[in-house]
Amino acid sequence: MEKKQALQCVVLFVCISASWISVESLGNGLGLTPQMGWNSWNHFGCNINEKLIRQTADALVSSGLANVGYEYINIDDCWANYNRDKWGNLHGNDATFPSGIKALADYVHSKGLKFGIYSSAGTRTCSGRMPGSLGYEKQDAKTFASWGVDYLKYDNCNTDGSAEKQRFPVMTQALRASGRNIFYSMCEWGYQEPAKWGAEVGNSWRTTTDIKDTWSSMLFNIDINDGYAKYARPGGWNDPDMLEVGNGGMSYNEYVAHFSLWAISKAPLIIGCDVINLNKEAHSILANKEVIAINQDSLGVQANKVKKYGDLEVWAGPLSGGRKVVLLLNRGNQGTKLITFNWADVGIPPNSAATLRDVWLHYTYKKTIRHKLTVRVAPHSCRLFVLQPV
Ligand code: GLA
């Protein structure tokens, strides 16, 4: 009898723990590689409407960007009416999204793409122009699910002052209960170091404040993000904010470095420019399949900074198949510099020979290389290689 009771206790305990885990953690199976898509904020801010979003979906497909992996069309702030309706529901802004959000999501889906939306873990969003979801998490998650939303970016403005660690998981559970599998992109700007707890809560978490379309802001964000490299993993990624490539504030070489750093850091590749009027240079950067493949590599390990001498840096990380990715960065503006790295710096056995592929030149060097490599790197530029030990 006593034995039987003890067994019942164990069974009960196992059941309780199992249900606790399944309620607490997101576990939605999404984001096995970093998410790729487009978001309205960096280029358009609050200046958005349904025509723009539909044309962007069209352009993502016609430009070939959808074909190389960009799949989410995400509307950021300012999509809803100023107030909820009398039942407490959110609605698309009557002036700018008159057909409603469900119709827009249907259109995006008809293009073979996925649809994302935005809210805040506060009473209003960051623009102040629409309500946030604090206190309405379940209701809003249900609304999003009923519209066919695939992705939620959840911001951190106009809060009640409670901890992010408490507020963000409320939406995790609301999404789980919504009846639809929704990617959860947490945006609490690194306040409570979400890299350390985010994997249970969301699919990605911002590690920084908002990016600006400048070389220094881009580097500032990727440096902070680098400090959390070890926490990134399939299903949960560090997010140093969306891409500025194509917005005009940086040179071609600077945007190549921006995209390369995001790719090796397994950062979300969320385009932040106007893809309807995309220039050729930006297209060639965003559509580089070899660089995208580094970001989407099945191993899912974030590369990090392994060496620094003043403005010169070596970043490296493992890829599937025993390959290594190596990025050489010249942050300075004082002319072309030589950067050297040793095999030990990038995790290759010292005596191994390796082949070297430049993924921007799309060129594999004829000779294999041993021990170390020295490369010329122009100012405000990077070189990006994949090494295959042979
Ligand atoms: C915050 C976020 C941005 C953007 C704006 C919208 O600043 O960090 O990415 O969503 O809000 O108001």
Side-chain angles (χ1 to χ4, degrees), residues 16-37:
I16 288 172
S17 356
S19 66
W20 181 80
I21 290 164
S22 67
V23 169
E24 286 298 308
S25 66
L26 181 62
N28 60 6
L30 299 174
L32 296 181
T33 60
Q35 68 269 36
M36 294 177 65

Side-chain angles (χ1 to χ4, degrees), residues 237-256:
W237 307 105
N238 290 313
D239 176 4
D241 206 358
M242 301 173 291
L243 296 166
E244 291 285 6
V245 177
N247 279 332
M250 290 186 239
S251 69
Y252 173 77
N253 282 354
E254 290 173 338
Y255 279 144
V256 165

Side-chain angles (χ1 to χ4, degrees), residues 41 76-77 118 126-127 153 155 187 189 206 210 242:
W41 184 256
D76 207 278
D77 205 346
Y118 162 97
C126 294
S127 67
K153 172 176 169 183
D155 217 333
C187 178
W189 315 308
R206 283 273 296 275
D210 289 7
M242 301 173 291

Side-chain angles (χ1 to χ4, degrees), residues 135-342:
Y136 289 85
E137 293 86 352
K138 275 209 164 132
Q139 186 170 351
D140 290 352
K142 279 232 160 77
T143 303
F144 299 153
S146 76
W147 290 340
V149 165
D150 302 298
Y151 184 116
L152 174 68
K153 172 176 169 183
Y154 204 43
D155 217 333
N156 198 22
C157 282
N158 299 304
T159 75
D160 59 2
S162 63
E164 284 72 25
K165 275 184 188 169
Q166 277 158 23
R167 262 178 300 116
F168 281 74
V170 181
M171 186 51 90
T172 308
Q173 296 193 30
L175 291 175
R176 282 180 59 89
S178 74
R180 194 173 167 91
N181 215 16
I182 297 178
F183 188 104
Y184 187 17
S185 155
M186 298 157 58
C187 178
E188 62 84 278
W189 315 308
Y191 276 12
Q192 284 209 303
E193 299 195 288
K196 297 183 179 171
W197 48 274
E200 292 294 299
V201 179
N203 296 111
S204 66
W205 43 84
R206 283 273 296 275
T207 51
T208 68
T209 54
D210 289 7
I211 193 170
K212 293 187 209 76
D213 190 11
T214 64
W215 177 246
S216 61
S217 163
M218 182 275 287
L219 291 177
F220 179 80
N221 276 17
I222 205 67
D223 282 342
I224 293 173
N225 194 72
D226 182 42
Y228 298 104
K230 68 176 184 205
Y231 298 103
R233 68 187 88 160
W237 307 105
N238 290 313
D239 176 4
D241 206 358
M242 301 173 291
L243 296 166
E244 291 285 6
V245 177
N247 279 332
M250 290 186 239
S251 69
Y252 173 77
N253 282 354
E254 290 173 338
Y255 279 144
V256 165
H258 173 19
F259 194 66
S260 301
L261 285 163
W262 261 238
I264 69 165
S265 302
K266 302 291 185 280
L269 297 181
I270 302 291
I271 299 171
C273 69
D274 177 2
V275 294
I276 303 165
N277 300 295
L278 191 62
N279 65 58
K280 258 194 166 166
E281 275 194 349
H283 184 275
S284 74
I285 295 171
L286 295 168
N288 185 322
K289 285 187 195 168
E290 292 193 58
V291 181
I292 292 171
I294 292 169
N295 179 259
Q296 297 290 303
D297 185 68
S298 58
L299 202 58
V301 175
Q302 180 173 332
N304 66 341
K305 198 182 296 192
V306 295
K307 241 182 174 178
K308 178 172 177 69
Y309 334 73
D311 281 334
L312 310 180
E313 295 176 353
V314 179
W315 296 59
L319 298 174
S320 57
R323 296 166 306 144
K324 308 287 174 190
V325 61
V326 178
L327 183 151
L328 307 175
L329 179 66
N330 180 356
R331 302 166 74 111
N333 56 8
Q334 303 295 313
T336 295
K337 296 281 155 92
L338 295 176
I339 304 183
T340 298
F341 66 95
N342 299 307

Side-chain angles (χ1 to χ4, degrees), residues 98-137:
S99 313
I101 304 299
K102 167 121 187 21
L104 189 55
D106 288 347
Y107 184 81
V108 169
H109 289 148
S110 78
K111 294 270 146 186
L113 300 170
K114 293 180 175 155
F115 181 72
I117 212 161
Y118 162 97
S119 186
S120 177
T123 50
R124 297 196 73 75
T125 60
C126 294
S127 67
R129 295 207 201 171
M130 57 171 275
S133 294
L134 187 68
Y136 289 85
E137 293 86 352

